[in-house]
Amino acid sequence: MRRTKIFGGSSHPEITSLITTRLGVEPGAVKLSQFKNKETSVEIGVSVRNEDVFIIQSGSPKINDSLMELLIMINACKGASAQRITAVIPYFPYSKQSKKKKHRGAIAAKLVANIMAISGVDHIITMDLHASQMQGFFNVPVDNLYAEPTVAKWIQEHVQDWEDGVVVSKNAGGAKRVTSLADRLNIDFALIHMDKSRRGQVSRPEDIYNRLEEDDDDDDSSMVDAETGHEIHRAETADETSMMTLVGDVQDKVCFIVDDMIDGCHSFLEAADNLVSHGAKQVYIIATHGILSGNSLRQIEECTNVHKIVVTNTYPIPIEKRAICRKLVILDISPTLAEAIRRTHNGESISYLFTQVPK
């Protein structure tokens, strides 16, 4: 890869190392630091004039610092006359805020896209966006890669009786993602419908259908009050009830609960309990982005109805956190990202990566 420089931010040095090792290059020298007032400082340590620059920076627990660092790195390379700047963002920050959820809410993902464009990015490579229409937020090319080929390969190699398994969506919004994996594996799929209705009222069929058209929103993400630092929990009102309905047959079958990310685990564990109560033999939780906030891993470890939790390494999980849960399996997605970088640099098509795992 001639006339190429690859830089890594501070959010996820592990995946930067894996990508550069696979490509057979050394990461470019860059000094990342903070001033005493917490402002981010970036110094590019090598010349990038007329170079094809790739900057690897994923979301992290310090999401705002990671995002600001990425923006400054892009702008620094732009000011140093880089020929093209590609941001490689395995987990795209603020992707869950891709639409207004309240009347006076903000579409934060669109704001991030605008800021990146202003900073000078020319191309973006990311993975499993929470909502695929986010690609339309950008006025530069966006390659949204999928972890599905890697996940399917792991299932075929490590799960016994997977041929008689069932891929399960824990809500209506994830049906498209689940059917895609089920079609690839040529197995059945099922859907869990969570009906939150007023007491004495039942959801109409058209209400259930409309939910299938909505984006998948994980409602157990941890929220923290910006002033007090305390977690915010949505409480059910006195006249509100929840009812889970399983659509599909899971009796004596291995079940794979699939989603694009797992932050809080409450809805996943509820789904696992529901599947086991309907006769499921084993339950696997599978997600691309393992955010796993708070004590999610401990709760999963203590849940007897979950056999394994499988995530990729798009999001950094500290060693001490991994040790909490023996059920945790982390798949390496760096071959797909590395191949995307190589093909982008050489001007080759990346459509191969949508269906295959690089060898």
Side-chain angles (χ1 to χ4, degrees):
M1 296 177 63
R2 300 179 61 186
R3 303 198 66 80
T4 303
K5 291 291 188 298
I6 300 178
F7 298 100
S10 62
S11 68
H12 200 346
E14 177 187 349
I15 201 166
T16 300
S17 176
L18 290 169
I19 290 172
T20 53
T21 299
R22 184 174 178 88
L23 291 172
V25 299
E26 290 291 328
V30 58
K31 182 179 179 182
L32 307 171
S33 58
Q34 285 188 335
F35 294 110
K36 290 183 179 180
N37 63 355
K38 301 302 180 181
E39 288 184 3
T40 298
S41 173
V42 171
E43 293 181 29
I44 305 297
V46 293
S47 173
V48 296
R49 183 175 294 275
N50 292 327
E51 296 273 331
D52 195 6
V53 173
F54 295 86
I55 302 173
I56 304 169
Q57 180 83 316
S58 189
S60 72
K62 297 181 178 179
I63 189 71
N64 295 320
D65 288 342
S66 299
L67 176 58
M68 198 66 205
E69 187 178 271
L70 172 62
L71 296 172
I72 296 175
M73 290 178 74
I74 292 170
N75 194 251
C77 292
K78 191 74 172 180
S81 301
Q83 185 179 51
R84 180 177 63 177
I85 302 171
T86 301
V88 182
I89 314 171
Y91 170 66
F92 195 90
Y94 288 89
S95 62
K96 296 182 72 173
Q97 299 185 56
S98 58
K99 64 179 181 180
K100 280 190 177 182
K101 297 182 181 179
K102 301 291 182 182
H103 294 302
R104 289 177 291 277
I107 306 177
K110 171 64 172 174
L111 175 62
V112 172
N114 290 341
I115 297 173
M116 285 190 179
I118 292 170
S119 69
V121 74
D122 298 305
H123 182 203
I124 289 174
I125 297 174
T126 187
M127 179 161 285
D128 277 330
L129 288 170
H130 190 58
S132 58
Q133 63 266 27
M134 280 178 56
Q135 296 172 79
F137 291 170
F138 295 87
N139 55 8
V140 298
V142 177
D143 289 322
N144 181 30
L145 305 174
Y146 303 115
E148 182 183 292
T150 301
V151 169
K153 182 181 178 182
W154 183 88
I155 290 174
Q156 291 170 328
E157 293 178 351
H158 294 88
V159 179
Q160 290 184 350
D161 301 326
W162 66 267
E163 298 93 340
D164 194 34
V166 180
V167 187
V168 182
S169 175
K170 67 181 180 65
N171 51 36
K176 184 177 180 180
R177 184 181 301 109
V178 161
T179 53
S180 176
L181 179 60
D183 288 344
R184 173 181 287 273
L185 295 172
N186 195 27
I187 60 177
D188 294 333
F189 68 91
L191 171 70
I192 293 176
H193 172 62
M194 175 70 79
D195 184 14
K196 293 184 178 180
S197 58
R198 300 292 177 180
R199 294 188 189 276
Q201 296 181 355
V202 179
S203 292
R204 297 169 298 173
E206 57 266 31
D207 294 332
I208 297 175
Y209 175 79
N210 288 336
R211 290 194 185 190
L212 289 171
E213 302 299 319
E214 295 177 358
D215 289 333
D216 179 14
D217 291 317
D218 187 358
D219 57 1
D220 36 45
S221 302
S222 301
M223 296 187 69
V224 178
D225 188 283
E227 294 182 358
T228 65
H230 297 149
E231 284 194 19
I232 301 172
H233 300 282
R234 179 192 177 278
E236 289 187 351
T237 58
D239 61 344
E240 188 178 54
T241 60
S242 296
M243 181 178 68
M244 286 184 124
T245 303
L246 175 64
V247 182
D249 178 24
V250 300
Q251 183 70 39
D252 297 324
K253 295 183 178 182
V254 178
C255 294
F256 308 99
I257 304 175
V258 176
D259 210 342
D260 66 314
M261 69 174 74
I262 175 169
D263 190 351
C265 65
H266 179 68
S267 62
F268 285 91
L269 299 186
E270 279 192 340
D273 293 341
N274 185 272
L275 292 171
V276 171
S277 70
H278 283 83
K281 184 165 60 175
Q282 281 184 338
V283 177
Y284 291 76
I285 295 175
I286 300 176
T288 301
H289 311 296
I291 301 173
L292 298 165
S293 300
N295 62 346
S296 296
L297 278 175
R298 189 174 299 280
Q299 291 177 18
I300 292 171
E301 176 68 20
E302 294 172 353
C303 180
T304 56
N305 290 333
V306 175
H307 181 65
K308 293 283 184 184
I309 171 172
V310 182
V311 298
T312 72
N313 58 350
T314 56
Y315 192 90
I317 302 176
I319 298 296
E320 57 274 13
K321 205 168 182 179
R322 300 181 189 186
I324 294 174
C325 184
R326 293 170 296 176
K327 300 177 182 179
L328 178 64
V329 177
I330 301 177
L331 307 183
D332 182 15
I333 207 70
S334 63
T336 299
L337 295 170
E339 184 64 12
I341 290 174
R342 189 193 68 79
R343 288 172 177 252
T344 298
H345 173 70
N346 293 333
E348 302 173 20
S349 170
I350 68 163
S351 55
Y352 171 85
L353 300 175
F354 295 141
T355 58
Q356 304 295 326
V357 179
K359 296 180 180 179

